[in-house]
Protein backbone atom coordinates (compact mmCIF):
# COMPACT_ATOMS: atom_id res chain seq x y z
CA UNK A 1 0.00 0.00 0.00
CA UNK A 2 1.35 3.41 -1.01
CA UNK A 3 0.08 6.26 1.14
CA UNK A 4 0.21 9.71 -0.46
CA UNK A 5 0.83 12.62 1.91
CA UNK A 6 -0.10 16.11 0.80
CA UNK A 7 -0.88 19.59 2.01
CA UNK A 8 -3.27 20.12 -0.92
CA UNK A 9 -6.79 20.52 0.42
CA UNK A 10 -8.56 18.18 -1.97
CA UNK A 11 -10.80 16.63 0.69
CA UNK A 12 -14.57 16.94 0.54
CA UNK A 13 -17.00 17.22 3.41
CA UNK A 14 -17.92 13.57 2.77
CA UNK A 15 -14.23 12.53 3.01
CA UNK A 16 -13.94 14.31 6.35
CA UNK A 17 -17.21 12.90 7.65
CA UNK A 18 -16.09 9.33 6.90
CA UNK A 19 -12.66 9.80 8.51
CA UNK A 20 -13.86 11.59 11.63
CA UNK A 21 -16.78 9.21 12.17
CA UNK A 22 -14.39 6.25 11.80
CA UNK A 23 -12.81 7.39 15.10
CA UNK A 24 -16.14 8.44 16.67
CA UNK A 25 -15.31 12.14 16.86
CA UNK A 26 -18.17 14.59 17.32
CA UNK A 27 -16.78 16.80 14.55
CA UNK A 28 -17.77 14.12 12.04
CA UNK A 29 -21.41 15.02 12.65
CA UNK A 30 -20.78 18.46 11.14
CA UNK A 31 -18.96 17.72 7.88
CA UNK A 32 -19.67 21.03 6.14
CA UNK A 33 -18.54 23.03 9.18
CA UNK A 34 -15.52 20.76 9.59
CA UNK A 35 -14.50 21.34 5.97
CA UNK A 36 -14.87 25.10 6.37
CA UNK A 37 -12.83 25.01 9.59
CA UNK A 38 -10.02 23.00 7.98
CA UNK A 39 -10.04 25.17 4.87
CA UNK A 40 -9.37 28.14 7.18
CA UNK A 41 -6.51 26.54 9.16
CA UNK A 42 -2.95 27.60 8.50
CA UNK A 43 -1.82 24.00 8.06
CA UNK A 44 -3.47 20.76 7.01
CA UNK A 45 -1.66 17.59 5.96
CA UNK A 46 -3.60 14.58 4.74
CA UNK A 47 -2.86 10.93 4.01
CA UNK A 48 -4.58 9.13 1.14
CA UNK A 49 -4.86 5.52 0.07
CA UNK A 50 -5.93 6.02 -3.52
CA UNK A 51 -9.09 8.13 -3.31
CA UNK A 52 -9.69 7.37 0.37
CA UNK A 53 -8.78 9.91 3.05
CA UNK A 54 -7.13 7.79 5.78
CA UNK A 55 -5.36 10.38 7.93
CA UNK A 56 -5.24 14.06 8.72
CA UNK A 57 -3.45 16.52 10.97
CA UNK A 58 -4.01 20.24 11.21
CA UNK A 59 -2.50 23.15 13.07
CA UNK A 60 -3.27 26.74 13.81
CA UNK A 61 -0.43 29.10 14.64
CA UNK A 62 0.39 32.65 15.66
CA UNK A 63 2.89 33.08 12.84
CA UNK A 64 5.96 33.11 15.03
CA UNK A 65 6.07 31.33 18.40
CA UNK A 66 3.32 28.77 18.96
CA UNK A 67 1.49 26.24 16.81
CA UNK A 68 -1.46 24.21 18.07
CA UNK A 69 -1.95 20.80 16.48
CA UNK A 70 -5.67 20.29 16.84
CA UNK A 71 -6.60 17.10 15.02
CA UNK A 72 -4.52 14.02 14.46
CA UNK A 73 -6.88 11.49 13.00
CA UNK A 74 -6.09 8.12 11.39
CA UNK A 75 -8.75 5.68 10.23
CA UNK A 76 -8.65 2.65 12.58
CA UNK A 77 -8.17 0.32 9.60
CA UNK A 78 -4.88 2.14 8.91
CA UNK A 79 -3.60 2.66 12.46
CA UNK A 80 -0.31 1.05 13.42
CA UNK A 81 1.24 1.66 9.99
CA UNK A 82 3.15 4.86 10.79
CA UNK A 83 0.65 7.26 9.22
CA UNK A 84 0.12 9.24 12.42
CA UNK A 85 3.86 9.40 13.02
CA UNK A 86 4.46 10.69 9.49
CA UNK A 87 1.74 13.32 9.85
CA UNK A 88 3.17 14.43 13.22
CA UNK A 89 6.63 14.68 11.64
CA UNK A 90 5.25 16.95 8.93
CA UNK A 91 3.94 19.31 11.62
CA UNK A 92 7.23 19.12 13.53
CA UNK A 93 9.16 19.90 10.34
CA UNK A 94 6.96 22.83 9.35
CA UNK A 95 7.09 24.39 12.82
CA UNK A 96 10.68 23.48 13.72
CA UNK A 97 11.60 27.15 14.29
CA UNK A 98 8.67 27.84 16.64
CA UNK A 99 9.16 27.79 20.41
CA UNK A 100 6.20 25.45 20.99
CA UNK A 101 4.07 22.95 19.20
CA UNK A 102 1.17 22.18 21.51
CA UNK A 103 -1.38 19.38 21.30
CA UNK A 104 -3.89 17.70 23.59
CA UNK A 105 -3.96 14.01 24.50
CA UNK A 106 -7.19 12.76 26.00
CA UNK A 107 -6.02 9.45 27.45
CA UNK A 108 -2.97 7.57 28.71
CA UNK A 109 -2.50 5.72 25.43
CA UNK A 110 -2.25 8.99 23.51
CA UNK A 111 0.02 10.53 26.14
CA UNK A 112 2.40 7.62 25.60
CA UNK A 113 2.07 7.92 21.83
CA UNK A 114 2.94 11.62 21.82
CA UNK A 115 5.82 11.10 24.26
CA UNK A 116 7.13 8.43 21.90
CA UNK A 117 7.04 11.01 19.11
CA UNK A 118 9.15 13.57 20.94
CA UNK A 119 6.54 15.58 22.83
CA UNK A 120 6.86 16.31 26.55
CA UNK A 121 4.00 16.02 29.02
CA UNK A 122 3.31 19.30 30.84
CA UNK A 123 2.83 18.36 34.49
CA UNK A 124 0.46 20.55 36.45
CA UNK A 125 -1.34 21.93 33.39
CA UNK A 126 -5.06 21.59 32.78
CA UNK A 127 -7.07 21.95 29.60
CA UNK A 128 -10.27 24.02 29.64
CA UNK A 129 -12.94 24.30 26.99
CA UNK A 130 -16.41 25.62 26.38
CA UNK A 131 -18.61 23.47 24.15
CA UNK A 132 -21.26 25.40 22.27
CA UNK A 133 -22.68 22.51 20.27
CA UNK A 134 -25.08 20.29 22.18
CA UNK A 135 -24.85 16.57 21.55
CA UNK A 136 -27.99 14.61 21.08
Amino acid sequence: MDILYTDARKFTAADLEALFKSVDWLSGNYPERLKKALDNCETVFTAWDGGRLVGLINAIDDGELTAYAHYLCVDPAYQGQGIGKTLLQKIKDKYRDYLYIILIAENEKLIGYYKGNGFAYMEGRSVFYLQNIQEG
Side-chain angles (χ1 to χ4, degrees):
M1 156 184 50
D2 289 324
I3 300 297
L4 172 67
Y5 296 92
T6 183
D7 62 355
R9 299 177 194 209
K10 296 181 180 180
F11 46 78
T12 65
D15 293 327
L16 296 170
E17 180 179 21
L19 177 61
F20 280 69
K21 284 187 171 182
S22 77
V23 292
D24 297 321
W25 285 2
L26 177 64
S27 307
N29 294 330
Y30 307 93
E32 295 297 331
R33 294 183 76 183
L34 181 58
K35 181 172 184 337
K36 185 176 179 181
L38 289 168
D39 283 343
N40 285 303
C41 285
E42 285 85 1
T43 303
V44 180
F45 292 107
T46 53
W48 297 84
D49 182 8
R52 182 177 176 181
L53 178 62
V54 298
L56 178 145
I57 193 168
N58 78 307
I60 55 176
D61 66 71
D62 62 15
E64 190 63 34
L65 298 174
T66 306
Y68 297 88
H70 186 157
Y71 296 123
L72 172 58
C73 185
V74 177
D75 185 307
Y78 290 81
Q79 291 177 7
Q81 300 177 34
I83 294 169
K85 183 174 186 163
T86 300
L87 291 168
L88 271 175
Q89 189 60 52
K90 289 186 174 299
I91 289 293
K92 289 166 38 178
D93 289 346
K94 177 169 181 179
Y95 294 107
R96 69 183 161 273
D97 294 329
Y98 280 54
L99 291 180
Y100 296 103
I101 301 171
I102 297 173
L103 50 79
I104 296 172
E106 61 188 40
N107 60 50
E108 291 298 319
K109 181 179 176 185
L110 287 175
I111 290 170
Y113 179 77
Y114 291 128
K115 281 182 176 180
N117 281 282
F119 288 82
Y121 181 69
M122 295 177 78
E123 293 287 340
R125 302 295 194 267
S126 298
V127 175
F128 294 85
Y129 74 97
L130 175 64
Q131 182 175 338
N132 290 320
I133 296 175
Q134 302 300 315
E135 293 185 55

